[in-house]
Amino acid sequence: MGRPDPEEGQLPAPVKPPDGGWGWIVLLGCFVITGFSYAFPKAVSVYFKELMKDFHVGYSDTAWISSIMLAMLYGTGPVCSIMVNQFGCRPVMLIGGLLASAGMILASFTTNIIELYLTAGVLTGLGMALNFQPSLIMLGTYFDKRRPLANGLAAAGSPVFLSSLSPLGQVLLEKFGWRGGFLIMGGLLLNCCTCGAVMRPLDMGMKRKMGKAQDKYEAKEMLPIGGKSEEGISTTDGTKKGKKAKKKPKKGKKLLDFSIFSNRGFIIYTISKFILVLGLFVPPILLVNYAKDTGVPDTEAAFLLSIIGFIDIFARPACGMVAGLKWVRPHVAYLFSFSMLFNGLTDICSARASNYTGLVIFCVFFGISYGMVGALQFEVLMAIVGSQKFSSAIGLVLLIEAFAVLIGPPSAGRLVDALKNYEVIFYLAGSEVVLSALFLGVASYCCLNRGKKEPPQENNPSAGGGSDTEEAESDVQEAEEHSSNNHQPAHSTDNAMAAANEEANHVAEEQSGEGGGCPAGDGEVLARDGCNADQMVERDSF
């Protein structure tokens, strides 16, 4: 047996997350995409007064622009998952950047509010959705050990861009009007295409190369010792072609993997996240009006949101660093539960704030807890389902959250109009967040205890300690076991090849000294394949 060709015969090593290198460029792109996705719908609100004057509509009519953007961001999650699974992250992000930019550019030429809904709302919202979800998928592909820190840094893009786009929009409005501002904003959104271009896939062509290398290597190396090599080659090739023809229908990739609903950790996460979103966004939406009703001046009331944003910028990366610690990461689900509990109690305590100082203290603690929730929400989901099913999981989760977004804030607004009391709304929103925290913590604890009693072959995903590297290694091991069951094992290193050659020669010499027969103990095991010393050595090595 000769040494395998390193380009053709040797199987490529499994791709592991680099946790750095080009991954930092991917992280920067994810930072920008997250900032645009979450901050842009809020930053557009600076143009609402001018739109009301030009189109002769009310504030509620213009507010639908931001609502449609957010609805597209959340509600099109399954569509994004299907496109990512079918075409990959980079093409989807490039198309999304073009759609987002085209939506704002076309919006600058609109003549009525309905056209704004279709352009700035639907088209731009869809484009940002096609950028946001694939960027998170690529972030989980490039980072494993440093993934909590990477998620925290990427999530910091939301407050950074919010504090930047709002003043920029005001400047553009004063100098160029709302039409010129929309046109320039559309040009800025073209940066999403740049971010999509840097999302280089790690496993590009790996499966195709593995298949070709395995076929060539097995045909050359897995032949019986002695004659009839040509027959062995033809037989092996024929067998492989037959098996490939049979397995072709099974290689189709699922566009949307609904099997994740069989994961108890995913069910717990989805239910808790739905309850969380019902009350999470209510306090920042009503905070300014609540402060004005307590007698706070308009400028000071608006400054409260700036305090939350400034604290949020530092809270998200700091929480990501804490979540990445060795003794914290296996329990990241409980840290997420604690952050939600912290946020809910902050809302409840703020209901009794009656002066500006109390509201400032509330904003500080709310910014910390809100940043913790934002930094951990997708890290927990990645830990539960793994990187391979994350594309389907996040799409389904965002779709479910879309219903909560459409229920929570509007219902709170109606209660304010009916009760004329903000205190009850803050109590209700805080109670919903606390309920989601308790549900996640208690349910995860029960599932973890139940998982310990089950066989160790099933790893409980809700523990948060799963590693994408371990998943990749397990997949490679399964592939090797499958090839060994077909009596076509393959070597991965030259050292293993040399050891197999020496041991095969030794066995052949012993057999020739004994008369060339098969060993009695192995006769039944190797009866189907004949007396093949190489295969016997391979079985022992595995």
Side-chain angles (χ1 to χ4, degrees):
M1 284 189 279
R3 179 170 296 186
D5 190 351
E7 295 182 356
E8 297 182 354
Q10 193 171 357
L11 292 176
V15 178
K16 297 181 181 179
D19 281 307
W22 189 256
W24 298 117
I25 304 298
V26 173
L27 173 59
L28 179 60
C30 190
F31 176 87
V32 174
I33 294 297
T34 303
F36 274 125
S37 300
Y38 279 118
F40 200 85
K42 302 173 185 176
V44 173
S45 61
V46 300
Y47 300 99
F48 284 175
K49 287 186 178 180
E50 294 296 325
L51 294 175
M52 292 166 60
K53 293 179 182 179
D54 287 3
F55 295 144
H56 306 288
V57 295
Y59 180 82
S60 60
D61 297 323
T62 56
W64 270 102
I65 298 175
S66 298
S67 300
I68 293 174
M69 283 186 182
L70 291 175
M72 295 298 294
L73 180 64
Y74 286 94
T76 58
V79 178
C80 297
S81 297
I82 292 174
M83 294 185 66
V84 168
N85 291 334
Q86 181 69 22
F87 305 107
C89 292
R90 180 188 282 177
V92 173
M93 292 184 68
L94 292 175
I95 295 175
L98 293 176
L99 289 177
S101 176
M104 292 304 295
I105 293 174
L106 292 175
S108 64
F109 299 99
T110 55
T111 57
N112 56 65
I113 194 68
I114 301 299
E115 293 177 356
L116 270 179
Y117 292 160
L118 297 176
T119 54
V122 175
L123 200 58
T124 300
L126 177 61
M128 289 189 296
L130 294 179
N131 275 273
F132 176 64
Q133 186 171 323
S135 67
L136 293 177
I137 296 172
M138 291 301 300
L139 191 67
T141 303
Y142 271 85
F143 289 91
D144 183 19
K145 295 180 180 179
R146 296 178 179 175
R147 192 178 63 199
L149 175 61
N151 277 311
L153 291 173
S158 175
V160 170
F161 271 65
L162 181 60
S163 60
S164 303
L165 289 178
S166 296
L168 176 62
Q170 188 64 38
V171 172
L172 295 177
L173 178 62
E174 295 174 357
K175 291 188 176 182
F176 305 102
W178 70 268
R179 294 186 184 274
F182 276 19
L183 189 63
I184 296 175
M185 285 288 191
L188 291 177
L189 286 176
L190 284 175
N191 288 291
C192 295
C193 295
T194 305
C195 297
V198 303
M199 300 295 174
R200 184 173 60 197
L202 278 177
D203 57 348
M204 185 171 48
M206 186 188 68
K207 293 183 178 180
R208 179 174 55 84
K209 292 179 180 179
M210 286 186 65
K212 290 184 178 180
Q214 184 175 357
D215 294 342
K216 294 180 180 180
Y217 180 77
E218 290 173 353
K220 292 179 181 179
E221 301 298 329
M222 296 297 106
L223 296 175
I225 296 179
K228 297 186 179 180
S229 59
E230 295 180 357
E231 295 180 1
I233 293 176
S234 60
T235 304
T236 304
D237 292 341
T239 306
K240 291 296 293 183
K241 289 180 181 178
K243 292 180 178 179
K244 281 183 178 180
K246 293 179 181 179
K247 292 182 180 179
K248 277 184 180 180
K250 297 182 180 180
K251 289 184 179 180
K253 192 174 184 180
K254 292 183 179 179
L255 297 181
L256 196 61
D257 191 359
F258 290 97
S259 64
I260 55 177
F261 283 105
S262 62
N263 188 332
R264 290 176 297 177
F266 177 76
I267 298 296
I268 294 171
Y269 176 86
T270 303
I271 295 175
S272 63
K273 197 69 186 300
F274 178 83
I275 302 174
L276 170 69
V277 174
L278 288 175
L280 181 64
F281 301 119
V282 172
I285 292 175
L286 302 179
L287 178 62
V288 175
N289 291 331
Y290 177 46
K292 291 179 181 180
D293 287 353
T294 58
V296 178
D298 293 351
T299 56
E300 295 181 359
F303 184 69
L304 293 174
L305 291 178
S306 301
I307 296 175
I308 294 177
F310 180 78
I311 299 297
D312 194 6
I313 292 174
F314 299 97
R316 298 194 182 206
C319 184
M321 294 178 63
V322 174
L325 298 177
K326 293 183 179 180
W327 56 276
V328 176
R329 190 173 184 185
H331 311 288
V332 68
Y334 298 114
L335 181 61
F336 184 48
S337 177
F338 170 76
S339 66
M340 292 191 295
L341 181 63
F342 185 18
N343 185 269
L345 294 177
T346 302
D347 295 340
I348 294 175
C349 295
S350 69
R352 292 191 173 275
S354 57
N355 53 39
Y356 188 71
T357 302
L359 291 176
V360 170
I361 295 175
F362 157 74
C363 290
V364 172
F365 285 98
F366 184 86
I368 296 173
S369 59
Y370 190 79
M372 293 175 64
V373 173
L376 295 175
Q377 56 179 344
F378 297 117
E379 167 61 25
V380 174
L381 182 59
M382 289 180 185
I384 290 175
V385 301
S387 60
Q388 294 181 350
K389 295 185 178 181
F390 181 71
S391 60
S392 298
I394 188 176
L396 296 172
V397 168
L398 290 177
L399 176 61
I400 295 173
E401 287 184 20
F403 294 101
V405 170
L406 296 176
I407 294 173
S411 300
R414 292 182 180 180
L415 288 176
V416 170
D417 294 336
L419 302 177
K420 305 297 181 182
N421 187 354
Y422 287 93
E423 184 175 345
V424 176
I425 305 304
F426 275 77
Y427 278 130
L428 179 61
S431 300
E432 291 170 343
V433 178
V434 169
L435 176 62
S436 65
L438 295 177
F439 177 80
L440 177 63
V442 174
S444 298
Y445 179 78
C446 294
C447 286
L448 285 175
N449 285 345
R450 184 179 300 179
K452 292 180 181 179
K453 298 179 182 180
E454 294 177 353
Q457 60 194 16
E458 291 186 3
N459 295 328
N460 190 356
S462 61
S467 174
D468 295 338
T469 305
E470 294 177 358
E471 293 178 2
E473 292 176 352
S474 63
D475 293 340
V476 174
Q477 184 177 0
E478 290 177 0
E480 292 177 351
E481 291 178 355
H482 177 72
S483 61
S484 65
N485 292 335
N486 292 332
H487 308 292
Q488 296 175 347
H491 293 289
S492 59
T493 61
D494 294 340
N495 293 333
M497 286 292 303
N501 290 339
E502 294 179 359
E503 194 162 353
N505 294 333
H506 179 67
V507 172
E509 291 177 359
E510 290 182 354
Q511 289 179 355
S512 61
E514 295 175 0
C518 292
D522 296 333
E524 296 178 358
V525 177
L526 303 178
R528 292 173 297 176
D529 301 317
C531 182
N532 191 337
D534 281 348
Q535 292 180 358
M536 183 174 63
V537 173
E538 290 293 337
R539 294 174 191 272
D540 295 338
S541 64
F542 281 101

